[in-house]
Amino acid sequence: MTQELDFENWSRRAAEWGVRYRASLRERPVRAQTTPGEIAAKLPASPPERGETMDTIFADFERVILPGMTHWQHPRFFAYFPANAAPVSVVAEYLVTAMAAQCMLWQTSPAATELETRVLDWLRQAIGLPEGFAGVIQDSASSATLSAVLVMRERALGWKGNKAGLVANPRLRIYASDQVHSSIDRAVWVSGIGEENLVRIPATGKRRGMDAAALSAAIERDKRAGHVPAGVIACTGGTNVGACDDIAEVVRTAHGHGLYVHVDAAWAGSAMICEEFRHLWAGIEEADSVVFNPHKWLGAQFDCSAHFIRSPDDLVRTLAIHPEYLNTHGRDGLINYSEWTVPLGRRFRALKLWFLLRFHGLEGLRAMIRNHVAWSERLAARLKAEPDFEIVTEPALSLFSFRHTDAEDLDAHNLDLARRINDDGRLYLTQSRVDGKVVIRFQAGQFETTEEDVNTAFEVITKLARSSL
Ligand SMILES: *Cc1c(COP(=O)(O)O)cnc(C)c1O
């Protein structure tokens, strides 16, 4: 026998809790302040035999779980990249959660499919991609990149890879700079192409883009060795310091050799709603596919990754499978988006984008991104003006890296500084390495961040850096 939930009461309480939670964020430490195992120790080792009351469960959520959360929607979250969930997209997600539809085929929710087609075309226009790119929502940029690598593989193998496997074939080769995200490595592993066939092209210059001459030379060397070059993965806004390949040059080189080009702009792509930043990916209109994450900077609650493809037929040819029960009889030509993605099941992800774009309008979203970039540049300039700080990489959009230079062992000192900042709780930053040295990364991108929050970052960073001396 199972008890009945007072769904109305608990839905209301959950929503009210969410409102209070968001309003309280500034008073909370950004990163969870717990030690490993602390939360696990508070959880019973065996499952409950008898149902418990919602009051007990909810109280435990606040007592046990909440202290172990890192607050990604905190206005002083300056770590990694943002994973914004604008309040309006949260509201849309409540509705999606309540309907809980599987949106794998047109017929399993026509509205989900048709809305996805429309809002992705809005996004295409918003970021300045030409007509002809078709969009699909993937669960993550990693999945979009995996799909792109699978297309590269199938194209290069004359569409025989899915059937025959890779055993009898020569080595396929994929090219990327040394600045790309680890999801590229994993796409190459999972596709069966293998890490040894991911050719790293050195990144050069101020923007740390791949050297096109080196790319061309690598492709030719591989052809002479009997390998089969399959594709290039370029990046706009690399994770570490925001590296940007010269897309026009990479595409020209790759297409000259007949290779497919996928561009990973997971973070920086959102900024392309502002025309003044599009020079960072000049030439994008010639790429074969592009991914960016509206679930990062733009404010669509995770997960929501926008994948644009110039030839969706190649993607469908690579990923579609046709068991009889999945056919939409008599409706040929309608889009079944599960044929565009690796997983079959799909959440209704377009609704939050629709709510978000309509509520804030592109103007509202542009204003937010422009503020983040301006505040970040201002903070970098302020730190640079301090005699004991060094800007290691200049702002790429709203991302820069710095280090405190007044210590003997700079690497140890800056690692310790990042740890002390995060333990303090007012900010959350990420440490990293650039050209072998430890740096601290800063990015502004949270939906509710204000200039005051960025000023607080300056105070906390300078004070804690100097307090250890
Ligand atoms: C965040 C990020 C990814 C991974 O995104 P997921 O959606 O989590 O898979 C890939 N590439 C870049 C450049 C990123 O910033």
Side-chain angles (χ1 to χ4, degrees):
M1 245 232 332
T2 183
Q3 55 176 342
E4 200 171 314
L5 177 71
D6 183 348
F7 192 38
E8 182 171 350
N9 176 34
W10 284 103
S11 296
R12 192 177 306 118
R13 285 188 55 179
E16 285 165 2
W17 183 89
V19 173
R20 284 197 309 277
Y21 168 75
R22 286 293 179 99
S24 73
L25 281 173
R26 269 204 178 75
E27 280 72 58
R28 297 176 188 271
V30 192
R31 195 209 56 202
Q33 303 287 315
T34 50
T35 51
E38 206 177 315
I39 311 292
K42 293 182 183 151
L43 301 169
S46 42
E49 282 297 335
R50 306 183 58 185
E52 300 177 63
T53 68
M54 269 300 280
D55 283 304
T56 315
I57 300 168
F58 205 88
D60 283 348
F61 160 67
E62 294 199 285
R63 183 180 62 86
V64 178
I65 304 300
L66 197 57
M69 294 303 293
T70 291
H71 304 296
W72 282 73
Q73 307 310 316
H74 196 298
R76 289 189 300 273
F77 183 100
F78 300 122
Y80 309 101
F81 283 136
N84 285 333
V88 67
S89 87
V90 175
V91 172
E93 281 285 79
Y94 285 147
L95 308 180
V96 167
T97 301
M99 291 187 288
Q102 266 298 346
C103 307
M104 52 200 178
L105 308 174
W106 177 85
Q107 67 168 325
T108 64
S109 274
T113 297
E114 294 179 23
L115 185 65
E116 182 161 338
T117 306
R118 183 52 48 98
V119 292
L120 274 261
D121 197 60
W122 286 2
L123 273 186
R124 174 193 66 74
Q125 298 170 48
I127 60 173
L129 286 183
E131 271 181 57
F133 275 93
V136 58
I137 304 181
Q138 302 270 4
D139 56 11
S140 62
S142 304
S143 291
T145 296
L146 172 60
S147 312
V149 169
L150 293 172
V151 171
M152 293 175 190
R153 187 189 78 183
E154 289 305 294
R155 258 179 102 252
L157 294 178
W159 312 100
K160 297 201 178 81
N162 280 337
K163 214 171 171 64
L166 301 182
V167 211
N169 289 297
R171 279 169 180 263
L172 298 181
R173 305 287 262 184
I174 305 286
Y175 307 83
S177 86
D178 50 25
Q179 295 291 311
V180 296
H181 188 262
S182 55
S183 57
I184 279 77
D185 302 61
R186 290 209 284 187
V188 171
W189 298 354
V190 174
S191 64
I193 291 172
E195 185 175 285
E196 287 175 5
N197 296 308
L198 174 57
V199 183
R200 299 284 185 179
I201 308 298
T204 58
K206 193 161 160 279
R207 292 224 177 103
R208 294 173 190 259
M210 85 175 96
D211 178 345
L215 170 64
S216 196
I219 295 170
E220 275 164 17
R221 202 164 45 240
D222 282 344
K223 282 181 172 167
R224 281 196 302 274
H227 303 330
V228 178
V232 180
I233 298 168
C235 74
T236 300
T239 312
N240 201 29
V241 294
C244 287
D245 287 318
D246 180 337
I247 303 296
E249 209 175 341
V250 167
V251 171
R252 201 176 313 123
T253 306
H255 283 180
H257 292 280
L259 305 194
Y260 190 96
V261 180
H262 171 69
V263 178
D264 177 9
W267 160 65
S270 293
M272 302 310 166
I273 63 171
C274 307
E275 226 175 318
E276 70 269 30
F277 300 132
R278 290 186 192 155
H279 66 95
L280 289 174
W281 71 1
I284 193 70
E285 59 283 354
E286 298 298 330
D288 297 290
S289 77
V290 187
V291 64
F292 91 96
N293 284 346
H295 71 229
K296 276 186 170 150
W297 209 346
L298 219 49
Q301 173 145 15
F302 188 85
D303 48 0
C304 185
S305 201
H307 184 195
F308 294 98
I309 310 107
R310 263 204 315 168
S311 171
D313 285 354
D314 288 351
L315 183 62
V316 171
R317 192 168 176 188
T318 300
L319 295 179
I321 197 157
H322 292 285
E324 176 61 21
Y325 63 85
L326 291 180
N327 282 348
T328 305
H329 291 288
R331 298 277 191 154
D332 288 352
L334 292 176
I335 295 179
N336 291 322
Y337 277 121
S338 59
E339 297 180 344
W340 300 41
T341 58
V342 175
L344 171 66
R346 314 183 78 239
R347 301 177 65 248
F348 184 4
R349 300 192 187 91
L351 195 74
K352 59 196 168 198
L353 268 177
W354 192 51
F355 274 48
L356 178 85
L357 292 171
R358 293 182 66 188
F359 183 74
H360 290 287
L362 290 176
E363 272 311 324
L365 297 170
R366 284 188 197 112
M368 172 189 72
I369 284 174
R370 285 178 176 137
N371 277 337
H372 291 155
V373 172
W375 298 337
S376 186
E377 286 173 348
R378 222 167 289 162
L379 176 64
R382 281 183 79 185
L383 286 173
K384 197 176 194 166
E386 298 294 314
D388 52 343
F389 278 89
E390 175 192 5
I391 300 302
V392 180
T393 57
E394 293 289 334
L397 297 168
S398 65
L399 169 68
F400 69 89
S401 66
F402 66 92
R403 59 181 190 162
H404 187 233
T405 53
D406 189 7
E408 301 233 312
D409 181 345
L410 289 185
D411 281 357
H413 174 68
N414 281 282
L415 272 181
D416 182 61
L417 174 57
R419 183 189 55 74
R420 284 188 298 118
I421 289 171
N422 294 337
D423 285 350
D424 170 86
R426 281 172 291 174
L427 319 178
Y428 187 23
L429 298 168
T430 317
Q431 74 288 341
S432 187
R433 270 181 196 274
V434 173
D435 302 330
K437 41 185 184 184
V438 170
V439 299
I440 302 178
R441 270 169 98 261
F442 178 93
Q443 66 76 28
Q446 212 287 321
F447 220 77
E448 313 270 327
T449 297
T450 62
E451 185 163 20
E452 203 40 50
D453 290 313
V454 178
N455 291 339
T456 302
F458 177 83
E459 303 303 330
V460 172
I461 292 165
T462 50
K463 189 147 176 270
L464 290 182
R466 289 160 189 165
S467 70
S468 71
L469 299 177

